[in-house]
């Protein structure tokens, strides 16, 4: 195998010729910013920079976007540096090896603009003023004619863009470049870009592509960023330079009737012709002159008649969606032409009928009133808050008819879980890691059906496919619950192509897609939708948690119950769960956490209401003193020293941060009450006197005295060693505080109920004590 086909023979040390050294740390930062939230494969490109006099072909590899990505990219970069090749990536992931065209890109989580000409710093200042500081700022290695460093400016999104949002993202990249004079090639999803930490070698100049600044906390919502880009003015002078060539373009009639071939063989390219034609029909739909269906049909007809060869429908739709989003952003909501709705029978009841109907209420699917027959539950949460994990646990218990937190299904329910986030192998890993009762698992084995990550939209075809899958999963009975996770990955806003931020598109998706799916398979089934939340402050979320739901406000007016899971303190693992019910009384907010692989509700009565930060610091200090005192007692006994309570307090006053002797004595008293410290009165075995005080020498679990003692067998001469264990003779009664004798010194016993009241840290493994377990 030639070196071009195998980069694993690269030296293990960073390449270091002619003064250039690879920066693997910069590569790792870049991968986290550009691919940290993405799934799939990263297309890596190796191109020889111009002006080196080398005639070698490009070399491409694909590396998984996982925790090993930085190591794989570093190995490739080392090899590429030795071969004189520059390293690029397509800043999005694909599904399979060999895929690298724009239509193959499935996820992107960043927006980038390449500033490679003109007044770079003025352009950067304009971007920062209107779009905010970037997440990552990279000096690409090149220099302008004035000697300024060329820059790549990156903004990271809160989550990857897919489908229609991916098209919007690419259109935004082009719009930003137009407004500040950046490289407009980044309109295309497959445009490669240099990797920081690798070598730039154009025209004999060698530099390391370096990171100028990095703010890992800087993340943006795509919808909010779209609004910011729309509101950003052109850089002074840039608008004229962009508008100048317009006069040379052919008329619309020529574009709509003239065939155009690939490879720029004609007066305009396929991309220019398609963009002009799509823009024309989008304006007609926006103005209400034709319907959305008619506009899409016209776009498809232009594609078939004029493009040689035709564009794939996926690319055509992506470009149309992106241009529609830009047009609406600039010109406001559309005046859509709607077809006449057919007459329908509207049920109506008199007041008397409603008052006289005393029939039993239908059973809740998940009580109390969380999910009712024919109802809709929306679970919202920020990325990485544990939303999908929480949802999986809820569905498993519902499928088993078992209680989960305060919620319970009346019987085992048939649940179809349509999820579009977690791939098969990671899905099964997550399910296997759940700490569930074996009886719950046994009852839910056949009643919960889960899809692996799907790459589809819930459009007309998607609804039919999912309906068929549900019928195949439950051939003998109707499903009780249909769950969709998340909305964003399956969202279809209808013919107009609007996103989830548009109220009309959201209502279309809920009525014509989600409810249509339910009507096809089980009209009385409950629906659960998982959704993301917006970036809001903790105070805003506490005031009205359900305002945090991402997208159009029509969602909140449509569902019958809602749940918001959020972390009030990012430094703590506890989450708050807020529940909003339209068909029943509201529920008090719950404090939940995942302990030992299972979700549990925590007692809010033990939650501090004021001075929480100071309280946590004091708790940590008490735990530190706990550990230090036990460690000192163990170490001192191993050195041949035992201490009574007051002698220990006086000896170690103001040492290792333990404070005064009174503070130490109080802490020892607490440890004795909790059973961590006990006492031994007779110390003669260890060369100490018999203590006649109230308690005796301090003793902790696992304590040994001095070095091991050697004994020689008189018959065989075999030398053996044994440790001299210090066992307690007395303990402090946790009820009365009196000194009482230990029944069996060999067994260290903790007072009843004490371990249940200890914190997880006190129960855990400390450097000086064995793991405590509850009996």
């Amino acid at each position: 195998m030639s070196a071009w086909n195998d980069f694993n023979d690269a030296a293990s040390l960073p390449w270091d010729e002619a003064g250039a050294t690879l920066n693997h740390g910069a590569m790792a930062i870049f991968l986290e910013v550009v691919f940290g939230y993405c799934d799939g494969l990263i297309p890596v490109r190796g191109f020889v920079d111009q002006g080196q006099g080398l005639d070698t072909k490009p070399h491409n590899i694909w590396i998984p976007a996982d925790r090993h990505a930085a190591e794989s990219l570093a190995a490739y970069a080392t090899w590429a540096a030795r071969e004189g090749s520059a390293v690029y990536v397509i800043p999005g992931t694909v599904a399979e090896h060999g895929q690298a065209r724009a239509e193959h890109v499935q996820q992107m989580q960043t927006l980038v603009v390449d500033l490679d000409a003109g007044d770079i710093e003025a352009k950067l200042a304009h971007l920062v003023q209107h779009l905010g500081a970037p997440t990552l700022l990279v000096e690409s290695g090149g220099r302008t004619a004035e000697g300024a460093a060329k820059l790549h400016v990156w903004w990271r999104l809160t989550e990857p863009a897919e489908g229609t949002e991916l098209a919007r993202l690419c259109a935004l990249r082009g719009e930003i470049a137009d407004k500040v004079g950046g490289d407009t090639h980044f309109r295309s999803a497959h445009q490669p870009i240099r990797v920081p930490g690798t070598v730039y070698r154009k025209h004999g100049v060698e530099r390391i592509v370096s990171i100028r600044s990095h703010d890992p906390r800087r993340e943006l919502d795509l919808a909010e960023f779209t609004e910011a880009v729309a509101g950003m003015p052109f850089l002074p002078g840039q608008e004229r330079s962009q508008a100048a060539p317009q006069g040379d373009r052919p008329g619309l009639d020529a574009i709509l009737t003239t065939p155009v071939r690939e490879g720029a063989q004609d007066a305009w390219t396929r991309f220019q012709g398609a963009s002009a034609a799509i823009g024309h029909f989008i304006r007609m739909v926006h103005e209400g002159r034709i319907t959305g269906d008619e506009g899409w049909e016209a776009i498809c007809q232009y594609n078939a008649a004029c493009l040689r060869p035709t564009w794939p429908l996926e690319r055509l739709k992506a470009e149309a969606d992106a241009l529609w989003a830009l047009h609406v952003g600039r010109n406001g909501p559309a005046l859509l032409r709607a077809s006449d709705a057919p007459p329908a029978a509207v049920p109506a009841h008199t007041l008397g009928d409603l008052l006289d109907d005393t029939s039993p209420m239908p059973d809740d699917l998940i009580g109390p009133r969380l999910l009712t027959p024919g109802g809709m539950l929306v679970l919202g949460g920020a990325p990485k808050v544990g939303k999908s994990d929480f949802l999986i646990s809820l569905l498993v218990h519902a499928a088993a008819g078992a209680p989960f937190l305060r919620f319970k299904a009346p019987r085992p329910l048939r649940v179809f879980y349509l999820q579009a986030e977690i791939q098969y192998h990671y899905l099964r890993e997550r399910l296997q890691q759940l700490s569930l009762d074996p009886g719950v698992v046994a009852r839910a084995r056949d009643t919960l059906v889960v899809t692996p990550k799907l790459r589809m939209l819930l459009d007309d075809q998607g609804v039919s496919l999912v309906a068929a899958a549900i019928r195949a999963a439950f051939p003998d009975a109707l499903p009780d619950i249909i769950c969709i996770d998340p909305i964003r990955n399956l969202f279809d806003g209808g013919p107009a192509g609007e996103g989830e931020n548009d109220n009309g598109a959201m209502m279309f998706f809920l009525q014509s897609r989600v409810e249509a799916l339910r009507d096809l398979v089980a009209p009385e089934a409950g629906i659960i939708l998982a959704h993301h939340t917006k970036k809001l402050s903790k105070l805003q979320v506490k005031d009205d948690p359900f305002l945090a739901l991402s997208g159009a406000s029509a969602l909140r007016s449509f569902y019958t119950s809602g749940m918001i899971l959020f972390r009030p303190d990012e430094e703590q693992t506890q989450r708050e769960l807020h529940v909003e019910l339209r068909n029943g009384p509201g529920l008090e907010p719950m404090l939940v956490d995942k302990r030992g692989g299972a979700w549990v509700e925590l007692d809010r009565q033990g939650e501090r209401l004021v001075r929480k930060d100071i309280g946590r610091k004091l708790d940590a200090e008490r735990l530190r003193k706990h550990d230090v005192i036990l460690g000192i007692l163990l170490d001192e006994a191993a050195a041949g020293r035992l201490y009574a309570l007051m002698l220990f307090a006086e000896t170690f006053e103001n040492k290792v941060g333990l404070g005064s002797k009174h503070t130490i004595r109080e802490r020892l008293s607490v440890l004795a009450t909790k059973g961590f410290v006990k006492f031994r009165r007779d110390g003669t075995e260890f060369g100490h006197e018999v203590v006649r005080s109230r308690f005796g020498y301090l003793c902790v679990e696992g304590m040994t005295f001095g070095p091991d003692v050697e004994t020689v067998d008189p018959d065989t001469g075999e030398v053996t060693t044994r440790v001299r264990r210090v066992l307690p003779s007395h303990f402090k009664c946790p009820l009365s505080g009196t000194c009482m004798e230990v029944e069996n010194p060999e067994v260290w016993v903790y007072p009843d109920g004490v371990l249940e009241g200890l914190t997880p840290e006190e129960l855990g493994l400390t450097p000086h004590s064995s793991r405590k377990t509850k009996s």
Side-chain angles (χ1 to χ4, degrees), residues 259-307:
V260 57
R261 296 165 292 176
E262 66 178 350
Q265 302 178 55
D266 302 294
W268 57 87
T269 66
R270 288 192 308 160
F271 178 82
Q272 292 170 331
S275 296
I278 293 172
H280 166 68
F281 294 120
I282 280 177
R283 285 191 295 274
M284 294 184 67
V285 173
H286 188 269
E287 294 167 4
R289 289 186 284 167
I290 58 177
T291 66
D293 289 338
E294 291 169 345
W296 174 243
E297 183 179 355
I299 291 171
C300 292
Q301 288 174 350
Y302 168 82
N303 182 45
C306 294
L307 298 188

Side-chain angles (χ1 to χ4, degrees), residues 35-333:
F35 302 102
Y37 298 152
C38 290
D39 297 321
L41 299 174
I42 303 171
V44 183
R45 298 285 173 265
F47 300 127
V48 175
D49 279 332
Q50 298 174 359
Q52 295 189 73
L54 298 177
D55 185 17
T56 49
K57 63 181 181 180
H59 183 72
N60 307 324
I61 66 167
W62 286 257
I63 62 176
D66 58 20
R67 60 190 178 91
H68 301 296
E71 180 181 353
S72 300
L73 183 60
Y76 179 83
T78 303
W79 172 86
R82 188 191 65 192
E83 297 291 332
S85 182
V87 180
Y88 294 72
V89 298
I90 293 174
T93 53
V94 299
E96 298 177 6
H97 287 268
Q99 293 183 339
R101 295 199 300 270
E103 59 267 30
H104 293 152
V105 178
Q106 296 185 333
Q107 286 187 336
M108 281 185 168
Q109 67 179 50
T110 54
L111 289 107
V112 62
V113 58
D114 182 4
L115 304 180
D116 57 358
D119 190 342
I120 302 294
E121 295 303 322
K123 294 179 178 182
L124 176 62
H126 188 78
L127 290 170
V128 172
Q129 178 184 356
H130 295 283
L131 303 183
T135 307
L136 188 69
L137 188 60
V138 175
E139 294 186 2
S140 64
R143 296 291 186 268
T144 65
E146 296 78 15
K150 298 181 180 181
L151 300 177
H152 297 160
V153 188
W154 297 87
W155 290 271
R156 180 167 64 175
L157 302 177
T158 55
E159 58 187 5
E162 299 179 335
T164 58
E165 288 190 342
L166 181 58
R168 187 200 309 177
L169 185 151
C170 292
L172 282 177
R173 298 200 311 186
E175 185 176 0
I176 296 171
D178 286 341
K179 288 188 172 182
V180 299
D183 187 347
T184 57
H185 288 92
F186 285 89
R187 236 180 246 282
S188 175
H190 71 301
Q191 178 67 23
I193 193 165
R194 285 185 188 269
V195 175
T198 61
V199 184
Y200 169 98
R201 279 202 181 106
K202 278 190 177 181
H203 306 295
V205 176
E206 289 187 351
R207 297 187 186 97
I208 291 294
V209 183
S210 61
I211 294 176
R212 179 185 291 186
S213 65
H214 173 223
D215 183 358
R217 297 169 298 179
R218 177 70 170 160
E219 293 186 346
L220 301 164
D221 179 78
L222 182 57
E224 296 173 356
F225 197 76
T226 302
E227 295 175 0
V229 173
M232 181 177 71
F234 279 79
L235 187 71
Q238 186 61 33
E239 186 169 13
R240 289 189 296 275
S241 66
Q242 292 293 328
Q246 297 291 335
D248 298 330
R249 291 185 180 179
L252 179 63
D253 290 341
I255 287 178
L256 295 179
T257 58
T258 305
V260 57
R261 296 165 292 176
E262 66 178 350
Q265 302 178 55
D266 302 294
W268 57 87
T269 66
R270 288 192 308 160
F271 178 82
Q272 292 170 331
S275 296
I278 293 172
H280 166 68
F281 294 120
I282 280 177
R283 285 191 295 274
M284 294 184 67
V285 173
H286 188 269
E287 294 167 4
R289 289 186 284 167
I290 58 177
T291 66
D293 289 338
E294 291 169 345
W296 174 243
E297 183 179 355
I299 291 171
C300 292
Q301 288 174 350
Y302 168 82
N303 182 45
C306 294
L307 298 188
R308 303 285 194 276
T310 60
W311 274 5
L313 287 181
E314 293 81 3
R315 181 180 181 185
L316 196 67
K317 187 176 188 305
E319 185 67 20
D321 290 341
L323 291 177
W324 175 265
L326 289 176
H327 190 77
V328 172
R330 292 171 177 170
N331 300 284

